[in-house]
């Protein structure tokens, strides 16, 4: 599908590998997809109404976020003058988006290069876990005087992030005296959570995560936009791409012209036919961490016990992260010959920003000589085409999202496409896409085990459960 006929930055969706073809006569036809239109139209209308009534803020607030950019970029530029390290303390949706965008749009070895660029930019560290060794190691490589910590948490209650914050706040107070607040910037809800009163009392600089946007949908708010701006990413381009994709999706009503409807119906039909696993496989190292963000989006949004009527449905498709070509030498064997329970989404960049020529040397053995004269980009492309062909030959369904180039605009489009696909998929499954009750249970259990007041009953329950463990010692 390429709605914009001119050469452009617009993403394309190649779904040949899902359809009937010479290898797979059982594949689908356009008529089969079109037969889903009544359900998709219902989903489209339901999403439109939700948006009009104050929901779907990931789409609705894009324009508002665009208006915020001048002040956010100005602040980010100030930081770049004063700090050499920008450390994100956050987890889940508060970390995966910033990581994905950084790796997609900045050089692979950004941290090694950024301080010698003109203008210089701080190194970025995203501490999205509480592994004590990793945390200790971080403190060994950063100079606190030259470091700013961005605490990102929507709820202001996530134990991991708050524990990190408490440690850092303490260390900064000991090392930086009264100036410690200058080393912390908080991104959180406007009114709710533990950080709000602390922002007021201690005077941290802060940015707001709009009320209706949950973690995994929050990349295009200050959650992701601030780190991106600090690291010199074109945040205007990011939002422009997002707005373009948003408009395309909202304004086109049919499955064969609306990329989110099409993506969702491909996923839905595959899932109905027993494809319980969704493999996300970019052919670009820069998009590797995008798979982490996608995996969270797909898993947390769609993995639900009950539908909107409260009936148990135990729904969702398991996301699997893979990387081309690396995982051709690891997972593709399973995809072609293992259980037919997967649908593969390739992500491909049509034109890389650089390439490397493989030299031709006629003295080399024939087995490798043929590579000479080609480039690494050509080899990557050939390997991807060959893998698609191999999957088709094995009657395994696959599709491909094509980014004409990798830039802020195409990445903004990709974010919105995947968010909207998830929203449509949630409608088709008739579930609440935007909550995560299963995650909340784990958070509550952690409060209990760590001795939070008011959670004593849960603590007792967990301790009783622990008595029943079977352990081989
Ligand atoms: O997508 C989500 O809602 C979650 O992954 C949250 O982002 C994650 O649990 C962290 O929550 P918070 O941002 O409130 O600290």
């Amino acid at each position: 599908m390429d709605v914009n006929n001119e050469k452009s930055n617009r993403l394309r969706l190649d779904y040949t590998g899902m359809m009937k073809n010479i290898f797979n006569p059982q594949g689908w036809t356009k008529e089969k997809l079109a037969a889903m239109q009544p359900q998709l139209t219902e989903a489209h209308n339901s999403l439109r109404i939700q948006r009009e009534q104050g929901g779907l803020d990931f789409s609705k607030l894009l324009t508002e976020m665009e208006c915020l950019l001048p002040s956010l970029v100005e602040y980010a530029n100030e930081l770049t003058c004063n700090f050499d390290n920008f450390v994100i303390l956050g987890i889940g949706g508060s970390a995966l988006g910033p990581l994905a965008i950084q790796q997609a749009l900045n050089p692979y070895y950004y941290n090694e290069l950024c301080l010698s660029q003109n203008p210089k930019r701080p190194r970025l560290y995203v501490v999205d876990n509480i592994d004590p060794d990793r945390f200790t190691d971080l403190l060994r490589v950063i100079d606190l005087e030259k470091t700013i910590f961005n605490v990102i948490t929507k709820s202001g209650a996530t134990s991991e992030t708050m524990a990190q914050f408490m440690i850092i706040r303490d260390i900064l107070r000991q090392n930086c005296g009264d100036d410690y607040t200058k080393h912390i910037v908080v991104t959180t809800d406007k009114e709710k959570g533990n950080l709000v009163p602390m922002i007021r009392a201690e005077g941290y600089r802060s940015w707001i995560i709009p009320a209706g946007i949950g973690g995994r949908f929050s990349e295009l708010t200050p959650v992701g936009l601030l780190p991106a701006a600090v690291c010199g990413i074109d945040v205007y381009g990011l939002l422009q791409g997002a707005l373009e994709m948003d408009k395309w999706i909202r304004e086109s009503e049919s499955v064969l012209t609306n990329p989110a409807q099409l993506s969702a119906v491909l996923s839905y039909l595959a899932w109905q036919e027993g494809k319980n696993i969704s493999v996300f496989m970019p052919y670009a190292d820069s998009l590797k961490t995008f798979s982490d963000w996608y995996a969270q989006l797909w898993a947390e949004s769609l993995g639900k016990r009950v539908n909107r009527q409260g009936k148990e449905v135990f729904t969702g498709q398991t996301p699997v992260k893979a990387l081309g070509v690396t995982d051709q030498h690891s997972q593709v064997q399973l995809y072609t010959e293992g259980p037919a329970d997967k649908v593969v989404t390739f992500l491909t960049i049509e034109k890389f920003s650089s390439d490397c020529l493989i030299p031709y040397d006629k003295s080399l053995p024939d087995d490798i000589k043929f590579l000479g004269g080609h480039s690494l980009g050509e080899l990557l492309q050939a390997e991807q085409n060959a893998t698609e062909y191999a999957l088709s030959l094995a009657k395994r369904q696959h599709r491909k999202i094509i980014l004409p180039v990798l830039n802020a605009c195409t990445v903004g489009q990709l974010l919105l496409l995947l968010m909207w696909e998830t929203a449509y998929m949630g409608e088709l499954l008739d579930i609440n896409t935007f909550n995560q009750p299963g995650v909340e249970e784990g958070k509550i259990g952690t409060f209990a085990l760590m001795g939070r007041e008011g959670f004593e009953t849960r603590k007792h329950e967990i301790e009783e459960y622990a008595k029943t463990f079977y352990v081989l010692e």
Side-chain angles (χ1 to χ4, degrees):
M1 179 193 292
D2 184 1
V3 167
N4 200 11
N5 289 323
E6 308 143 22
K7 275 196 169 169
S8 72
N9 259 344
R10 201 158 193 173
L11 297 198
R12 305 199 304 278
L13 189 60
D14 178 345
Y15 55 109
T16 316
M18 307 293 291
M19 305 297 277
K20 184 172 173 172
N21 58 48
I22 46 169
F23 303 121
N24 188 8
Q26 313 300 330
W28 306 334
T29 58
K30 280 196 171 178
E31 290 69 36
K32 181 174 171 91
L33 303 186
M36 284 293 292
Q37 193 59 60
Q39 275 164 272
L40 286 163
T41 301
E42 205 180 305
H44 189 80
N45 291 337
S46 162
L47 291 169
R48 181 177 46 77
I49 292 165
Q50 285 175 48
R51 194 175 180 279
E52 282 165 7
Q53 292 180 346
L56 297 195
D57 285 10
F58 75 84
S59 152
K60 205 178 58 196
L61 292 183
L62 287 173
T63 319
E64 199 176 298
M65 291 301 124
E66 211 180 20
C67 298
L68 189 74
L69 286 184
S71 57
L72 188 128
V73 171
E74 193 186 339
Y75 171 70
N77 288 338
E78 274 170 36
L79 294 187
T80 63
C81 301
N82 300 328
F83 297 104
D84 287 349
N85 306 302
F86 186 87
V87 180
I88 294 178
L89 306 179
I91 198 164
S94 294
L96 293 170
L99 262 171
I101 298 310
Q102 169 73 357
Q103 197 173 43
L105 293 173
N106 262 334
Y108 196 82
Y109 298 107
Y110 169 87
N111 272 9
E112 285 80 4
L113 297 170
C114 59
L115 291 177
S116 52
Q117 301 286 297
N118 187 15
K120 87 172 171 70
R121 296 275 168 194
R123 298 185 199 95
L124 178 75
Y125 298 95
V126 183
V127 194
D128 63 344
N129 204 350
I130 43 170
D131 178 323
D133 285 340
R134 176 175 167 195
F135 206 76
T136 310
D137 284 351
L138 173 77
L139 295 173
R140 287 166 57 197
V141 298
I142 54 171
D143 171 2
L144 282 179
E145 287 289 340
K146 301 294 281 176
T147 303
I148 181 149
F149 294 87
N150 185 196
V151 189
I152 309 180
T153 169
K154 173 79 197 269
S155 61
T158 305
S159 299
E160 296 89 338
T161 307
M162 296 313 288
Q164 291 176 335
F165 165 67
M166 287 156 74
I167 295 169
I168 290 299
R169 174 172 168 270
D170 200 47
I171 294 175
L172 286 172
R173 283 165 118 176
Q174 288 168 30
N175 287 272
C176 306
D178 288 346
D179 270 355
Y180 81 95
T181 56
K182 297 201 178 105
H183 294 265
I184 293 176
V185 51
V186 177
T187 307
T188 194
D189 191 83
K190 189 177 175 191
E191 284 160 4
K192 290 193 223 136
N194 301 301
L195 287 168
V196 176
M198 293 182 79
I199 292 167
R200 291 192 197 113
E202 300 185 25
Y204 302 123
R205 186 74 159 84
S206 66
W207 294 87
I208 291 166
I209 309 176
I213 299 190
R216 54 198 179 273
F217 289 90
S218 70
E219 172 49 28
L220 294 172
T221 72
V223 168
L225 294 173
L226 177 60
V230 168
C231 295
I233 286 168
D234 172 15
V235 284
Y236 288 92
L238 209 51
L239 274 176
Q240 185 207 325
L243 280 159
E244 280 169 16
M245 180 56 76
D246 188 63
K247 184 167 184 291
W248 182 5
I249 291 168
R250 285 190 298 107
E251 292 183 357
S252 91
E253 301 199 350
S254 115
V255 61
L256 297 177
T257 58
N258 180 322
Q261 282 195 23
L262 179 59
S263 295
V265 89
L266 296 175
S267 296
Y268 182 72
L269 291 174
W271 175 77
Q272 274 196 324
E273 292 182 8
K275 311 284 183 338
N276 285 320
I277 297 172
S278 166
V279 178
F280 195 76
M281 188 165 182
Y283 268 71
D285 282 356
S286 47
L287 294 170
K288 189 176 177 191
T289 50
F290 219 95
S291 306
D292 294 328
W293 174 79
Y294 160 78
Q296 188 212 8
L297 180 74
W298 204 243
E300 218 164 78
S301 303
L302 304 176
K304 298 288 153 71
R305 182 174 64 86
V306 291
N307 68 9
R308 286 187 288 207
Q309 282 69 50
K311 183 171 167 245
E312 286 198 329
V313 286
F314 299 106
T315 191
Q317 211 182 22
T318 304
V320 167
K321 301 173 272 183
L323 178 69
V325 303
T326 309
D327 284 314
Q328 282 180 212
H329 300 268
S330 156
Q331 300 184 32
V332 167
Q333 167 64 30
L334 175 74
Y335 302 163
T336 48
E337 294 194 354
D341 56 358
K342 301 166 198 68
V343 57
V344 179
T345 301
F346 294 110
L347 204 54
T348 190
I349 301 168
E350 218 161 33
K351 192 165 170 13
F352 280 82
S353 56
S354 60
D355 210 344
C356 301
L357 186 69
I358 308 165
Y360 181 76
D361 182 343
K362 67 176 188 316
S363 68
L364 290 172
D366 287 348
D367 280 2
I368 54 170
K369 192 166 60 185
F370 69 94
L371 295 169
H374 294 288
S375 68
L376 286 186
E378 276 178 82
L379 178 60
L380 185 94
Q381 193 55 60
E383 295 208 31
Q384 178 172 358
N385 292 346
T387 302
E388 284 177 43
Y389 182 77
L391 285 175
S392 295
L393 213 56
K395 301 187 177 48
R396 303 302 161 99
Q397 282 184 308
H398 56 93
R399 61 184 183 160
K400 181 164 63 177
I401 301 172
I402 304 163
L403 282 71
V405 288
L406 184 65
N407 61 24
C409 179
T410 53
V411 169
Q413 291 176 54
L414 182 61
L415 285 168
L416 260 280
L417 173 60
L418 294 171
M419 287 186 204
W420 272 110
E421 178 190 354
T422 307
Y424 274 101
M425 186 72 172
E427 286 297 316
L428 293 173
L429 295 170
D430 190 23
I431 52 155
N432 183 341
T433 311
F434 302 101
N435 67 0
Q436 53 284 323
V439 180
E440 302 308 325
E441 278 303 323
K443 289 188 180 184
I444 291 167
T446 305
F447 296 155
L449 290 175
M450 293 296 283
R452 181 167 164 188
E453 217 172 296
F455 292 81
E456 292 78 9
T457 312
R458 177 58 59 93
K459 183 166 191 266
H460 178 70
E461 285 165 12
I462 297 175
E463 282 168 353
E464 285 300 303
Y465 167 63
K467 288 181 190 162
T468 66
F469 285 0
Y470 296 84
V471 182
L472 173 67
E473 289 185 38

